[in-house]
Amino acid sequence: MAAQQHLLDFCLSAPADGRTVLDALQPIFQERSMTETVHNLGENGYLVTYVAKSGSFATLRMYTDKLLTFDIHSYEADNKGRAAIETLCNRLEEKLKDLLQGNIKRLKRLPAIVRGGTIDRYWPTADGRLVEYDIDDVVYDEDSAYQNIKILHSKQFGNILILNGDINLGESDLPYTQAIMGNGAEDYTGKEILILGGGDGGILYELVKLKPKMVTMVEISFMVIDACCKHMRKTCGDVLDNLKGDCYQVLVEDCVPVLKTYAAEGRLFDYVINDLTAVPISTSPEEESTWDFLRLILDLAVKVLKPTGKYFTQGNCANLTEALAMYEEQLNKLYCPVEYSKKVVCVPSYAELYPFPNYGNAFYLLK
Amino acid sequence: MAAQQHLLDFCLSAPADGRTVLDALQPIFQERSMTETVHNLGENGYLVTYVAKSGSFATLRMYTDKLLTFDIHSYEADNKGRAAIETLCNRLEEKLKDLLQGNIKRLKRLPAIVRGGTIDRYWPTADGRLVEYDIDDVVYDEDSAYQNIKILHSKQFGNILILNGDINLGESDLPYTQAIMGNGAEDYTGKEILILGGGDGGILYELVKLKPKMVTMVEISFMVIDACCKHMRKTCGDVLDNLKGDCYQVLVEDCVPVLKTYAAEGRLFDYVINDLTAVPISTSPEEESTWDFLRLILDLAVKVLKPTGKYFTQGNCANLTEALAMYEEQLNKLYCPVEYSKKVVCVPSYAELYPFPNYGNAFYLLK
């Protein structure tokens, strides 16, 4: 059982007379035994509620300057109840079209919003826009020590991993994995690669196919690995079935101390791929802000890169131009100068474009 | 000026006592001089409205079985007003978290919905899901004899063509054009190609680069051509500046009679690319339904294809599996048998996956 809410808006060319509108609508609600309560807000128009004993209700807000909005709420789970609400919306639309005739500049009826459903279909984009997904099943929903882990099934994107409410990766999102690996332009054969995060196993699975010398993946959460191993197999194949293979190992650890150890030992990699979540999860206390954490990771990553090494990461959504500019600013604060490029790709399940910056260090250090 | 509506939901593990909740919330609304009206719906819970003289108002619906929903409406256009509403939402959230403690199973706060804004950012997907786009400008909005034509600017997708409320193409959507042209697998050099529809000029622009013998595009609406020529230049380049070029011509006509004439004359093409809108626009009266129209076009297209010819089209959104199955059913009703394949691609501005079926006829007719 969940509530359904229909939103219906009329933008007018000229103000309509409030009383006339209310009188015209009255029979429609009376037929349905919905009790009218009128709040006269003077120069600010009217708020009217129509309440049925069943618990269904509607609000009409008449803003004096040419905007009428209806919210029609119901809690009928069956098709009959849903059809009745559709009919009510149609009747309101017809009646007002008839009454206001040429005065309607825009009529907008949004798809019904479901509230309190067992399956939550609303996952905002990184830049805060409302997107309803075609989620039809909750596959996994658990809290770990670090974060809430959800895997939801989407009809078109397959299973989607959602960490703390942020869409991380769908099974449809091979373009994400390809982009963060350099879009096919890199030769990983015989190379040593370090993945930071990457718990869904997508990057590891794709890398292992390319005959690397050794891939080391450092992921803080075993629960994420375990959930993805079971439910994101289009992404990770069988690579997470074991934490160790011929040419890879998965360390279930915070990457910060691991990076420090590698740096101290002088251990070097051909590639570092940073697939950590946009909002950092870490057990180390030294970073004060997201940006400090980001710079810490960048600094450490550069220390464990061979002179010819490359660093790949994702750059959050393309619309967050301010955040992206700040990100690029961090690069100037690194202990050694780097140059970088970026490429914007379309990640299917994100419903938005994503840039993937990549940093080459040593080559540029020689300049 | 537009109204803003915040939606805030609490899903509970156990039913909460209505009166206790109302008493706890009262001071928050009283502080803001919002007048409370309680509708006691007996076994169906409570509806409460809180109305301010300014015209801002909130509704609280307590459904007896563990769902509380708030709608907070305001009409304050300035940052101060928006901040005040944010604060109210935060206060309600804190108060109920405090009151209900471990009883909250899920707390959901959606990005605010804008109602009656000058710029309409809500464009549902083909399968009826709500998507808010990053629209920041209305570039063009006119009614032609056939349809409403809008071109809206999106920060990440560029200008987007919307016909009768359906998103047709964004300037970001080269993948759509590439898909409907066969994803780079076709050799168009020296070929004769017929485009049905395609008023945005995207297919024409890409084809002309490939040295075809002659491309004929038949688009019913000059207004669409003209609007796209001016405002969708990332899609159509300069190809629509003239209706005739060295290797192309644009006929501003209904494609049905044109196809009939070509069929009668025995005029044949190497490729027919059907880029007509999903909901047909036609001046010819013979088709009774969308499916009849679709079959009419398919039948006529097959008649003007060379024995080695190919037919490409788009297949609506991947989620409309029933419609897709019906589409494929139409293929069996054609006067001559065809075989087909399809490929699903990600079209950036659609926020959903789209399949592109393609039909080869004569090759299969030989079987």
Side-chain angles (χ1 to χ4, degrees):
Chain A
M1 284 281 276
Q4 284 224 335
Q5 179 168 356
H6 291 257
L7 284 74
L8 183 59
D9 299 341
F10 295 83
C11 296
L12 309 181
S13 309
D17 177 61
R19 266 289 147 209
T20 311
V21 171
L22 296 192
D23 289 348
L25 298 177
Q26 218 168 34
I28 297 176
F29 290 105
Q30 264 172 359
E31 261 169 41
R32 289 163 174 81
S33 307
M34 294 174 86
T35 309
E36 182 191 79
T37 308
V38 179
H39 302 260
N40 189 332
L41 305 172
E43 60 177 10
N44 291 313
Y46 290 91
L47 166 68
V48 191
T49 59
Y50 305 92
V51 187
K53 286 229 172 70
S54 67
S56 293
F57 72 103
T59 57
L60 161 61
R61 180 74 177 87
M62 296 189 63
Y63 295 93
T64 40
D65 64 344
K66 310 176 206 165
L67 174 62
L68 262 78
T69 65
F70 287 95
D71 284 79
I72 298 138
H73 303 250
S74 75
Y75 200 58
E76 330 270 353
D78 58 346
N79 284 333
K80 212 180 126 199
R82 272 198 288 270
I85 291 292
E86 286 285 333
T87 309
L88 172 56
C89 291
N90 293 343
R91 288 277 287 128
L92 293 172
E93 202 176 306
E94 282 158 26
K95 190 69 178 180
L96 284 179
K97 270 186 188 166
D98 192 43
L99 183 74
L100 302 170
Q101 303 239 359
N103 187 12
I104 299 172
K105 209 166 63 180
R106 191 170 77 214
L107 194 168
K108 188 82 182 185
R109 191 162 155 181
L110 294 182
I113 295 177
V114 176
R115 305 184 67 171
T118 320
I119 294 167
D120 185 356
R121 294 163 58 98
Y122 303 95
W123 299 100
T125 59
D127 61 337
R129 290 174 293 108
L130 182 58
V131 176
E132 178 185 358
Y133 281 83
D134 55 348
I135 306 290
D136 55 11
D137 195 20
V138 179
V139 176
Y140 183 96
D141 191 357
E142 301 283 342
D143 289 311
S144 77
Y146 308 110
Q147 57 205 341
N148 173 266
I149 306 164
K150 277 189 185 54
I151 296 178
L152 306 182
H153 181 262
S154 146
K155 213 169 148 187
Q156 62 185 324
F157 302 128
N159 284 338
I160 301 180
L161 174 67
I162 298 177
L163 297 177
N164 276 349
D166 275 339
I167 294 216
N168 260 250
L169 197 82
E171 287 185 301
S172 59
D173 297 347
L174 185 59
Y176 174 96
T177 304
Q178 287 169 332
I180 205 168
M181 286 170 60
N183 285 300
E186 304 302 317
D187 179 9
Y188 287 103
T189 320
K191 298 288 164 52
E192 295 206 71
I193 305 132
L194 179 64
I195 305 170
L196 309 178
D200 55 65
I203 299 169
L204 183 61
Y205 183 50
E206 297 307 317
L207 278 176
V208 162
K209 296 176 190 172
L210 302 173
K211 316 268 174 235
K213 185 175 171 193
M214 177 52 72
V215 187
T216 303
M217 173 174 136
V218 189
E219 164 63 49
I220 201 168
S221 169
F222 181 73
M223 276 179 75
V224 168
I225 293 175
D226 194 46
C228 292
C229 175
K230 288 193 183 102
H231 304 297
M232 299 280 292
R233 290 191 81 84
K234 267 186 207 143
T235 296
C236 63
D238 57 3
V239 84
L240 297 177
D241 291 356
N242 298 293
L243 293 183
K244 230 176 149 77
D246 282 347
C247 62
Y248 73 92
Q249 59 171 337
V250 178
L251 308 179
V252 183
E253 289 182 53
D254 180 352
C255 69
V256 175
V258 174
L259 277 167
K260 285 184 177 165
T261 307
Y262 286 168
E265 287 171 353
R267 173 97 185 263
L268 296 177
F269 295 87
D270 296 289
Y271 292 93
V272 175
I273 301 178
N274 175 355
D275 191 31
L276 298 168
T277 48
V279 178
I281 300 288
S282 169
T283 53
S284 63
E286 64 209 273
E287 65 278 358
E288 273 171 32
S289 74
T290 302
W291 294 113
D292 287 337
F293 179 78
L294 192 146
R295 205 166 55 248
L296 172 70
I297 296 288
L298 269 173
D299 261 332
L300 287 168
V302 169
K303 281 181 187 156
V304 303
L305 269 182
K306 290 185 188 173
T308 53
K310 281 191 180 173
Y311 178 81
F312 287 111
T313 192
Q314 57 112 335
N316 222 320
C317 113
N319 267 356
L320 297 173
T321 39
E322 204 180 316
L324 280 170
M326 279 177 76
Y327 194 102
E328 293 175 7
E329 211 175 87
Q330 302 305 312
L331 298 172
N332 301 321
K333 296 187 187 162
L334 289 176
Y335 81 95
C336 66
V338 297
E339 284 195 11
Y340 67 93
S341 64
K342 72 177 173 223
K343 189 175 153 57
V344 174
V345 307
C346 177
V347 180
S349 86
Y350 287 14
E352 59 193 327
L353 300 177
Y354 257 64
F356 286 83
N358 67 75
Y359 308 90
N361 73 330
F363 186 78
Y364 306 106
L365 285 175
L366 296 175
K367 283 186 186 174
Chain B
M1 283 280 277
Q4 283 225 334
Q5 178 168 355
H6 291 257
L7 284 73
L8 184 57
D9 298 342
F10 295 83
C11 296
L12 308 181
S13 308
D17 177 62
R19 266 288 149 211
T20 312
V21 171
L22 297 193
D23 289 349
L25 297 177
Q26 217 168 36
I28 297 176
F29 291 105
Q30 265 171 0
E31 262 170 40
R32 289 164 175 80
S33 308
M34 294 174 86
T35 309
E36 181 191 78
T37 308
V38 180
H39 302 261
N40 189 334
L41 306 173
E43 61 178 8
N44 291 313
Y46 290 90
L47 166 68
V48 191
T49 59
Y50 305 92
V51 187
K53 286 229 172 70
S54 66
S56 292
F57 71 105
T59 58
L60 161 62
R61 179 75 177 86
M62 297 190 62
Y63 296 93
T64 40
D65 65 343
K66 311 173 202 165
L67 174 62
L68 262 79
T69 64
F70 287 95
D71 285 79
I72 298 135
H73 303 250
S74 75
Y75 201 59
E76 331 269 355
D78 58 346
N79 284 333
K80 211 179 130 201
R82 272 198 289 269
I85 290 291
E86 285 286 333
T87 309
L88 172 56
C89 291
N90 292 343
R91 287 278 288 128
L92 293 171
E93 202 177 305
E94 282 158 25
K95 190 68 178 180
L96 284 179
K97 271 186 187 164
D98 192 43
L99 183 75
L100 303 169
Q101 304 237 359
N103 188 13
I104 298 172
K105 209 165 63 180
R106 191 171 76 215
L107 194 168
K108 188 82 182 185
R109 190 161 155 182
L110 295 183
I113 295 177
V114 176
R115 305 184 69 170
T118 320
I119 293 168
D120 185 358
R121 293 162 59 97
Y122 303 94
W123 299 100
T125 59
D127 62 337
R129 290 175 293 108
L130 182 59
V131 176
E132 177 185 358
Y133 281 84
D134 55 348
I135 305 291
D136 56 10
D137 195 20
V138 178
V139 176
Y140 183 95
D141 190 357
E142 300 284 342
D143 289 310
S144 77
Y146 307 110
Q147 58 205 341
N148 173 266
I149 306 164
K150 278 188 182 58
I151 297 178
L152 306 183
H153 181 261
S154 146
K155 211 169 149 187
Q156 63 186 323
F157 301 128
N159 283 339
I160 300 179
L161 174 66
I162 298 177
L163 296 177
N164 275 350
D166 276 339
I167 295 215
N168 260 249
L169 197 82
E171 286 186 301
S172 59
D173 296 348
L174 185 59
Y176 174 96
T177 304
Q178 287 169 332
I180 206 168
M181 286 171 60
N183 285 299
E186 304 302 319
D187 179 8
Y188 287 102
T189 320
K191 298 289 165 52
E192 296 205 71
I193 305 132
L194 180 64
I195 305 170
L196 309 178
D200 55 65
I203 300 169
L204 184 61
Y205 183 51
E206 297 306 318
L207 279 176
V208 162
K209 295 177 190 170
L210 302 172
K211 316 267 174 236
K213 185 173 169 195
M214 177 53 72
V215 187
T216 303
M217 173 174 136
V218 189
E219 163 63 49
I220 200 168
S221 169
F222 181 73
M223 276 179 74
V224 169
I225 293 174
D226 194 45
C228 292
C229 175
K230 288 193 183 104
H231 305 296
M232 299 280 291
R233 290 191 81 86
K234 267 184 206 144
T235 296
C236 64
D238 57 3
V239 82
L240 296 177
D241 291 355
N242 298 293
L243 294 183
K244 230 175 150 75
D246 282 346
C247 62
Y248 73 91
Q249 60 170 337
V250 178
L251 308 179
V252 184
E253 288 182 54
D254 180 354
C255 69
V256 175
V258 174
L259 278 167
K260 284 184 177 165
T261 306
Y262 286 167
E265 288 171 352
R267 172 97 184 263
L268 297 177
F269 295 87
D270 296 290
Y271 291 93
V272 175
I273 301 179
N274 175 354
D275 191 32
L276 298 168
T277 48
V279 178
I281 300 287
S282 169
T283 53
S284 63
E286 62 208 276
E287 64 279 357
E288 274 171 29
S289 76
T290 303
W291 294 112
D292 288 337
F293 180 78
L294 191 146
R295 205 166 54 247
L296 172 70
I297 295 289
L298 269 173
D299 261 331
L300 287 169
V302 169
K303 281 182 187 156
V304 302
L305 269 181
K306 289 186 188 172
T308 53
K310 281 191 180 174
Y311 178 81
F312 286 112
T313 191
Q314 58 111 335
N316 222 321
C317 114
N319 266 356
L320 297 174
T321 39
E322 205 180 316
L324 281 170
M326 280 177 75
Y327 194 103
E328 293 175 6
E329 212 175 87
Q330 303 304 313
L331 298 173
N332 301 321
K333 295 187 188 163
L334 289 177
Y335 81 94
C336 67
V338 296
E339 285 196 9
Y340 67 93
S341 64
K342 72 176 174 222
K343 189 174 154 59
V344 174
V345 307
C346 177
V347 179
S349 86
Y350 286 15
E352 58 193 328
L353 301 177
Y354 257 61
F356 287 83
N358 67 76
Y359 308 93
N361 74 329
F363 186 78
Y364 305 106
L365 284 175
L366 296 175
K367 283 187 185 172

